Amino acid sequence: MSTYDDIEIEDMTFLPETQMFTYPCPCGDRFEILLEDMFDGENIAVCPSCSLMIEVIFEPEDLAEFYEKAGLPAPTPIAA
């Protein structure tokens, strides 16, 4: 599987109301990945409008702050 780019989690936008991370795609839409999917070990964000994908660079322990921002308890444990 080939990805368009590698993006650090801090460069993405987190939407607490949907618990989703987004990042602008060259096609004009946005790459998307859910917080829960990242907790489950997924690190590929996809664009719903085209075939491009990006790899999200993060450490599992980084996710705790985003659960807090979403007003949710962090699942236990947050570790790989």
Side-chain angles (χ1 to χ4, degrees), residues 11-27:
D11 293 330
M12 299 185 78
T13 300
F14 180 65
L15 308 170
E17 60 280 355
T18 59
Q19 301 165 31
M20 183 178 294
F21 290 88
T22 65
Y23 189 81
C25 180
C27 80

Side-chain angles (χ1 to χ4, degrees), residues 11-57:
D11 293 330
M12 299 185 78
T13 300
F14 180 65
L15 308 170
E17 60 280 355
T18 59
Q19 301 165 31
M20 183 178 294
F21 290 88
T22 65
Y23 189 81
C25 180
C27 80
D29 204 345
R30 295 189 173 275
F31 296 102
E32 301 176 342
I33 187 168
L34 291 170
L35 175 59
E36 183 177 342
D37 291 341
M38 294 173 74
F39 179 80
D40 290 340
E42 181 62 53
N43 70 336
I44 302 297
V46 298
C47 177
S49 297
C50 72
S51 62
L52 293 178
M53 298 178 284
I54 58 171
E55 182 174 348
V56 182
I57 308 302

Side-chain angles (χ1 to χ4, degrees), residues 64-78:
E65 73 177 273
F66 297 104
Y67 277 99
E68 187 177 311
K69 287 180 183 180
L72 300 169
T76 313
I78 294 205

